[in-house]
Amino acid sequence: MVSPNPMVGAVIVKAGEVVGEGWHQKFGGPHAEINALDGAGENAEGATLYVTLEPCAHQGKTGPCVEQIFAAGIAEVVVAMQDPNPVVNGKGVQRLRSLGIRVRTGLLEAEAADLNAGYIKYMRSGRPLITLKMAQTLDGRIATSSGHSKWITSKESRVEAHRIRAQHDALLVGINTVLTDDPQLTVRMVDAVSPHRIVLDSQLRIPLDAQILGDEMPYLTTVITTSRASKEKISRIQEKGATVLVLPEDQHGWVESAGLWRKLAELGLTSVLIEGGNTLATASLKTKVVDRIVSFIAPKILGSGVDAIGDLGIRNINNAVQLERVVYKILPVDILVQGWVKYLV
């Protein structure tokens, strides 16, 4: 709820007791440190503040946190990680120290970086963090040879998938997924807010009666197309309340990859979950834009069917795309494999 800002929590401790805690709850609202200070009140005097990210020292939508930390009488601040935002980067810690407040940094730094991986990439590269999500059988199929795919995984896995959806700023699918499945692309099985919905549709083939254009949230839908799109159809989609963006195309006639990710970052989207089919998943790995993979594996075998990933041009096993920092989660029926992508070629 705070994107494109980071997720930050703060805890204030005095004499071994927690006297205040808070978190950044919504974009434009008070920062975590301020909410924690409000909870602590006079107990903040002489206390230690633990915070996920370096406190800000500049005037943004809210005032600089370091000044309010000083005014509250905080004696020490423990910062998990430095803020990569160039407006803040190091300035918050420096200002705290100049005010006579003790500062320690690096406590649980890796965990803080994982929490805000999308924000960090957004700040450092100007592009969102890209996660590829798949649901496949034991033999790597995402559908039967006739295209039937509901449901490969169990209900428990689908609940987990909706939870993962809610952790991203946007979901991205290709037009083939819309034409085949007419998905809602909303968060339904957990109590959370639905992210933005992005459709790659270079020829603007999306049906005007598609669910993502006709539900109560068309404002969450953005269709990305090219100059080949009909201007009349663009207008009709916009009349429904959705957004249409016309971006350059590549040599295949598809939306050009680099321009796509830059545009999504310009929209303030720091994390994108790709939920498309074989074509989009393969293209995303080929262009090496995928940062993380989330794969639900069901104990089923289809034999022939639609592959989860198509030909990546890899002919040597030593050049395979690999996952690092892999986490395995055993669900009631299926296995969830999550990891960071390492490209060897």
Side-chain angles (χ1 to χ4, degrees), residues 221-261:
T221 300
T222 297
V223 183
I224 298 182
T225 188
T226 67
S227 58
R228 290 186 289 163
S230 159
K231 290 182 173 57
E232 179 186 352
K233 191 167 185 182
I234 289 176
S235 296
R236 295 189 66 183
I237 293 171
Q238 291 172 330
E239 287 170 1
K240 289 179 171 290
T243 299
V244 179
L245 296 177
V246 179
L247 297 183
E249 60 186 77
D250 62 17
Q251 68 272 25
H252 304 294
W254 298 348
V255 175
E256 194 266 325
S257 179
L260 166 67
W261 305 120

Side-chain angles (χ1 to χ4, degrees), residues 35-343:
N35 287 326
L37 289 171
D38 288 344
E42 295 181 356
N43 285 323
E45 180 76 32
T48 297
L49 168 68
Y50 295 85
V51 63
T52 309
L53 202 67
E54 174 184 11
C56 64
H58 68 286
Q59 177 68 47
K61 288 186 176 295
T62 61
C65 290
V66 293
E67 306 301 331
Q68 297 189 57
I69 291 170
F70 173 71
I74 291 289
E76 181 180 31
V77 177
V78 180
V79 176
M81 69 169 288
Q82 192 167 302
D83 192 334
N85 184 344
V87 176
V88 182
N89 201 337
K91 298 181 180 69
V93 168
Q94 183 180 11
R95 179 58 177 158
L96 288 169
R97 286 174 173 155
S98 74
L99 292 169
I101 298 173
R102 296 190 303 275
V103 181
R104 287 186 287 150
T105 61
L107 178 67
L108 299 178
E109 183 174 6
E111 290 83 351
D114 276 347
L115 175 68
N116 281 306
Y119 170 78
I120 293 168
K121 184 177 181 187
Y122 174 78
M123 281 296 166
R124 290 178 176 170
S125 70
R127 295 171 62 172
L129 183 82
I130 310 300
T131 301
L132 172 63
K133 193 214 84 175
M134 298 177 287
Q136 57 187 311
T137 61
L138 201 58
D139 54 342
R141 312 298 188 196
I142 59 172
T144 66
S145 55
S146 65
H148 187 251
S149 61
K150 289 184 171 50
W151 294 100
I152 283 178
T153 54
S154 65
K155 180 180 179 181
E156 292 82 1
S157 294
R158 297 197 295 278
V159 169
E160 187 69 20
H162 279 258
R163 188 174 292 113
I164 292 169
R165 277 185 176 183
Q167 294 168 356
H168 290 78
D169 291 345
L171 308 178
L172 185 144
V173 299
I175 183 58
N176 289 336
T177 295
V178 176
L179 295 175
T180 302
D181 299 334
D182 191 20
Q184 293 175 268
L185 299 181
T186 56
V187 172
R188 300 182 299 279
M189 303 180 82
V190 296
D191 184 17
V193 176
S194 293
H196 292 271
R197 305 176 292 200
I198 313 291
V199 180
L200 296 182
D201 185 2
S202 59
Q203 299 181 52
L204 208 56
R205 294 184 291 150
I206 186 170
L208 292 173
D209 60 355
Q211 288 196 84
I212 57 175
L213 297 178
D215 62 13
E216 68 279 7
M217 296 182 293
Y219 56 88
L220 288 179
T221 300
T222 297
V223 183
I224 298 182
T225 188
T226 67
S227 58
R228 290 186 289 163
S230 159
K231 290 182 173 57
E232 179 186 352
K233 191 167 185 182
I234 289 176
S235 296
R236 295 189 66 183
I237 293 171
Q238 291 172 330
E239 287 170 1
K240 289 179 171 290
T243 299
V244 179
L245 296 177
V246 179
L247 297 183
E249 60 186 77
D250 62 17
Q251 68 272 25
H252 304 294
W254 298 348
V255 175
E256 194 266 325
S257 179
L260 166 67
W261 305 120
R262 283 195 303 269
K263 174 56 69 173
L264 295 186
E266 289 173 9
L267 297 176
L269 303 175
T270 66
S271 59
V272 176
L273 182 67
I274 295 177
E275 288 199 358
N278 171 289
T279 301
L280 183 55
T282 304
S284 300
L285 286 170
K286 270 190 171 182
T287 53
K288 301 181 180 178
V289 299
V290 177
D291 298 294
R292 298 189 302 193
I293 286 180
V294 173
S295 181
F296 292 89
I297 302 174
K300 299 174 181 176
I301 294 176
L302 288 178
S304 62
V306 180
D307 291 332
I309 305 293
D311 185 8
L312 297 177
I314 297 171
R315 301 295 177 259
N316 187 319
I317 192 66
N318 295 320
N319 295 331
V321 176
Q322 296 188 10
L323 294 188
E324 300 180 315
R325 294 158 56 193
V326 181
V327 176
Y328 302 94
K329 186 172 184 178
I330 307 301
L331 299 168
V333 177
D334 311 313
I335 297 174
L336 172 58
V337 180
Q338 303 178 78
W340 292 81
V341 178
K342 180 180 181 181
Y343 299 99

